[in-house]
Amino acid sequence: MSSAIEWMNIVRKRIYELQPKQLEASYTFKPFRLYGGAKGGGKSHWLRAESTGQCLTTPGINGLILRRTFPEVEKNFLYPFQREVPNTAYKYNAQNHRIKFFNDSTIELGYCKNMTDVLRYQGIEYDFIGIEEITHWSEDEFDTIISSLRTSKEWVTPNFFGTTNPGGKGHAWVKKRWIDREPSDKYDLDDYAFVQAFYTDNKVLLERDPNYIKRLNALPEKLRRAMRDGDWDIFEGQYFEEFRVDLHTMDAWVPPKGVKKRIIAFDYGYTAPSAVLWMAQLYDGRVIVYRELYVTKHTYKDLATRILAMTSEWEMEEIGWNIFADPAIFKKNESTGRTAEDDMNEVGLYISRADNVRVAGWNTVRSGFQLFHNPNTWTVSPRVIITKSCPNLIRTIPMMIHDARNPEDLDSSLEDHAPDAFRYWLREFTLPDADIEFLVSVNDAMKKKNVQNYQIWIKYWQSEKVENKAVQEEPSDDEMEELDDAKSILNSDF
């Protein structure tokens, strides 16, 4: 009988002919591996090779392969597997959906459409679990299924491996663990590894289908950036399509004393995070979100104390009663007769009711990402800018997706604490009028030229305004030269 190393070489180099990126994923020894991140990288091929390789090299292990529906498992795993692996190496039991190899290792094929399906696997031990398109899963579903990732075999290390593209309801938590590598007490980052693959890493695909790249290039912009470029900051189903990190964020800065209006808003949580935002409106109309507090396991009194400690005296003088929270904070506890507001008042923080209307509130947030033109200062700017002192707000806004049951709303099962606080306070400001001419110009021109740099378009549009004498202050010669350069770039062929 062939040794484990010989079998692995047979699987990886003869049966599946893995390419360099796929081999990198297989030789990455981490308990939780994720491969892919873009279309055409050979994700399903690698997942079949990895599960088959583990079974043939380690006798007597039990693995589980999952997708959302069983037809997907058949199409993407079973049928290709039956074509790729010699039938002398295994037997397939169609009734139990189980592949059994000659060395008593098995692969169970299953599906989990929802948490009810996930719970069917509780109490069963698996030496490995593989999931295709992990971003289609919620974080709770994933954490529940991997509780079955355990073994009594001393020679086996239980492991998870998965594949995905950006997008889907699990986009945010997958990005947090594998892409952004954000620490948490729920998991150990040292156990996680991500191997990025693009269509350019799949030489076999490019040789067999040279027109594949043309089809990727023909996708709508959001899908193209996610599927072709592996861009985790934009994806289909994204709620706030208008938000761009390069446009709507700036370096840390605290607006000085004397602004038009200054407020605080927060969304409370104890086990889930409490999100607190500080913001100020300048006299030119822009709103700056300049400070953030994002904490768990704080009582109302604890949170109020932290807010006061982080706010200077002169800020509190300008803020006054402009501290807004979910109206639920004013609801009396039936047993004590007290409210959360009472607890916060005791330490000196006085709260006002926020407007908690969801869809209208989200529309206001969306309008805050629009641009406006100030002819007095000869600038074009977003109405709302978030400083980099607010990392959780910047991180979670792009992660919001539409609610499947109510597409006008966003999916409240996601990490929406900072966006909720954002929604509360933004309704308290009167924003400057968005420049509709500019917005139409940007949308039409960017579609036509396939340009993604907003700043170039701002300069181009401004140069047009200068020529039309629509501004009150003429630019300097250097500024005019820069604008002419931008205009010439945009008028050229791409």
Side-chain angles (χ1 to χ4, degrees), residues 259-493:
V259 296
K260 186 176 182 179
K261 189 173 186 178
R262 194 183 300 268
I263 74 172
I264 295 174
F266 66 91
D267 183 65
Y268 180 77
Y270 185 79
T271 302
S274 289
V276 187
L277 300 174
W278 285 253
M279 63 293 301
Q281 185 168 35
L282 310 182
Y283 276 96
D284 64 9
R286 290 176 298 164
V287 174
I288 310 297
V289 190
Y290 65 90
R291 187 180 297 138
E292 172 189 277
L293 175 62
Y294 204 74
V295 292
T296 59
K297 295 180 172 57
H298 277 50
T299 66
Y300 286 104
K301 286 185 177 181
D302 293 338
L303 187 65
T305 301
R306 288 287 298 275
I307 292 172
L308 290 169
M310 294 176 64
T311 310
S312 67
E313 290 185 9
W314 63 264
E315 284 178 292
M316 287 304 300
E317 289 177 1
E318 290 192 341
I319 291 168
W321 283 86
N322 290 323
I323 302 176
F324 296 95
D326 188 326
I329 217 168
F330 299 89
K331 185 178 180 179
K332 286 187 177 182
N333 184 301
E334 292 183 1
S335 59
T336 65
R338 290 177 58 83
T339 68
E341 178 200 16
D342 294 333
D343 290 342
M344 303 189 99
N345 287 350
E346 281 189 3
V347 296
L349 194 72
Y350 300 95
I351 315 299
S352 298
R353 294 173 183 265
D355 185 339
N356 197 25
V357 177
R358 289 186 61 83
V359 174
W362 296 132
N363 288 337
T364 303
V365 171
R366 186 176 284 111
S367 71
F369 296 137
Q370 292 180 338
L371 306 172
F372 78 101
H373 175 245
N374 186 337
N376 295 316
T377 58
W378 199 70
T379 58
V380 177
S381 169
R383 300 154 110 186
V384 176
I385 302 174
I386 306 167
T387 73
K388 294 176 182 177
S389 300
C390 308
N392 292 290
L393 180 60
I394 293 171
R395 173 179 60 82
T396 54
I397 284 177
M399 300 301 108
M400 298 298 101
I401 64 173
H402 291 271
D403 189 316
R405 293 168 296 181
N406 180 13
E408 295 301 315
D409 199 355
L410 62 74
D411 188 338
S412 60
S413 69
L414 303 175
E415 188 183 352
D416 61 351
H417 320 294
D420 270 339
F422 194 59
R423 170 169 57 92
Y424 296 158
W425 67 259
L426 198 54
R427 297 272 288 174
E428 303 302 323
F429 288 111
T430 301
L431 298 174
D433 291 336
D435 197 306
I436 301 303
E437 178 186 351
F438 175 68
L439 296 175
V440 172
S441 172
V442 166
N443 290 333
D444 291 347
M446 290 185 70
K447 288 179 182 178
K448 181 179 179 181
K449 294 286 190 177
N450 189 26
V451 175
Q452 298 178 7
N453 190 329
Y454 277 93
Q455 298 302 330
I456 291 181
W457 280 108
I458 289 172
K459 291 179 179 180
Y460 175 65
W461 182 79
Q462 287 177 330
S463 69
E464 291 291 311
K465 288 290 189 182
V466 170
E467 291 180 2
N468 295 333
K469 301 186 184 301
V471 295
Q472 298 178 12
E473 181 181 347
E474 294 292 328
S476 66
D477 291 341
D478 290 341
E479 289 172 329
M480 196 65 216
E481 182 177 351
E482 183 180 5
L483 294 173
D484 286 339
D485 289 342
K487 184 176 178 180
S488 64
I489 292 173
L490 293 169
N491 284 333
S492 64
D493 293 329

Side-chain angles (χ1 to χ4, degrees), residues 23-36:
L23 286 170
E24 180 184 341
S26 288
Y27 288 120
T28 298
F29 300 107
K30 295 287 185 179
F32 296 90
R33 289 171 292 161
L34 187 65
Y35 175 70

Side-chain angles (χ1 to χ4, degrees), residues 135-319:
T135 53
H136 293 177
W137 289 55
S138 72
E139 187 170 20
D140 286 344
E141 290 169 340
F142 176 76
D143 287 336
T144 301
I145 197 67
I146 63 172
S147 68
S148 294
L149 191 63
R150 59 187 187 274
T151 187
S152 57
K153 306 177 184 71
E154 295 181 358
W155 64 92
V156 173
T157 300
N159 67 102
F160 164 83
F161 49 92
T163 65
T164 197
N165 293 316
K169 72 175 184 180
H171 180 101
W173 72 264
V174 171
K175 183 173 186 286
K176 182 166 63 175
R177 294 194 189 193
W178 277 282
I179 311 303
D180 296 336
R181 297 186 59 77
E182 292 187 17
S184 171
D185 56 6
K186 293 178 62 176
Y187 52 84
D188 186 348
L189 280 180
D190 289 338
D191 291 339
Y192 286 73
F194 172 64
V195 177
Q196 174 76 65
F198 301 98
Y199 70 93
T200 51
D201 296 310
N202 193 343
K203 305 303 180 186
V204 174
L205 172 65
L206 295 179
E207 290 173 2
R208 294 176 180 174
D209 189 359
N211 291 321
Y212 184 73
I213 180 56
K214 294 180 181 179
R215 295 197 294 275
L216 286 181
N217 289 337
L219 292 171
E221 181 190 359
K222 288 186 297 178
L223 273 177
R224 183 175 64 251
R225 288 176 58 190
M227 300 303 179
R228 184 194 67 185
D229 304 332
D231 188 341
W232 284 81
D233 290 327
I234 189 167
F235 55 92
E236 196 67 23
Q238 191 172 34
Y239 195 82
F240 296 112
E241 300 176 9
E242 305 84 357
F243 180 76
R244 295 286 293 270
V245 173
D246 61 340
L247 179 68
H248 294 100
T249 66
M250 62 180 289
D251 291 337
W253 178 64
V254 176
K257 187 175 182 179
V259 296
K260 186 176 182 179
K261 189 173 186 178
R262 194 183 300 268
I263 74 172
I264 295 174
F266 66 91
D267 183 65
Y268 180 77
Y270 185 79
T271 302
S274 289
V276 187
L277 300 174
W278 285 253
M279 63 293 301
Q281 185 168 35
L282 310 182
Y283 276 96
D284 64 9
R286 290 176 298 164
V287 174
I288 310 297
V289 190
Y290 65 90
R291 187 180 297 138
E292 172 189 277
L293 175 62
Y294 204 74
V295 292
T296 59
K297 295 180 172 57
H298 277 50
T299 66
Y300 286 104
K301 286 185 177 181
D302 293 338
L303 187 65
T305 301
R306 288 287 298 275
I307 292 172
L308 290 169
M310 294 176 64
T311 310
S312 67
E313 290 185 9
W314 63 264
E315 284 178 292
M316 287 304 300
E317 289 177 1
E318 290 192 341
I319 291 168

